[in-house]
Amino acid sequence: TLYMPATKPDAQGYGSAILKHLIAIAKRENRWLVAEIWATNKNSISLHKKFGFVLEKMMIKSHSKLCIYKKK
C-alpha cells in the first residue's frame, strides 16, 4: 500500500517515479501489478491508466466503490 496525499504540492512527480520503478521490477520478474483504487480517487486512476493499467473489475467495499486495475 502506498499513499501520497494530493494536498502536498512538493510531492508532485513521486507517484510517477515510484510507479515506473515498480513496473520495471514487475517486468523483470514477469509479475502482474494490481492496484486497488477507490472510485473517487480520480488522480490515482488517471495516473495508473497513464502507465497502462486496465480496469479489471469494480466492487463494493466498506460501502464504497473500489476499482481493481491490473498491468502485465
Side-chain angles (χ1 to χ4, degrees):
T1 302
L2 179 64
Y3 175 74
M4 302 274 305
T7 56
K8 197 166 166 74
D10 60 337
Q12 289 188 343
Y14 284 117
S16 291
I18 292 167
L19 210 44
K20 282 180 191 176
H21 187 68
L22 289 173
I23 290 168
I25 292 169
K27 278 186 180 181
R28 187 173 61 239
E29 296 184 5
N30 196 30
R31 294 182 181 263
W32 286 86
L33 289 175
V34 178
E36 292 187 356
I37 308 168
W38 296 113
T40 55
N41 191 343
K42 303 298 182 192
N43 290 338
S44 184
I45 290 171
S46 182
L47 177 67
H48 284 78
K49 283 182 176 182
K50 174 181 160 185
F51 283 95
F53 283 74
V54 177
L55 180 63
E56 184 81 11
K57 66 181 174 179
M58 291 182 80
M59 57 192 237
I60 302 296
K61 189 173 183 181
S62 301
H63 305 291
S64 296
K65 281 186 188 176
L66 185 65
C67 303
I68 311 298
Y69 283 86
K70 224 173 183 184
K71 178 172 177 58
K72 177 64 175 161

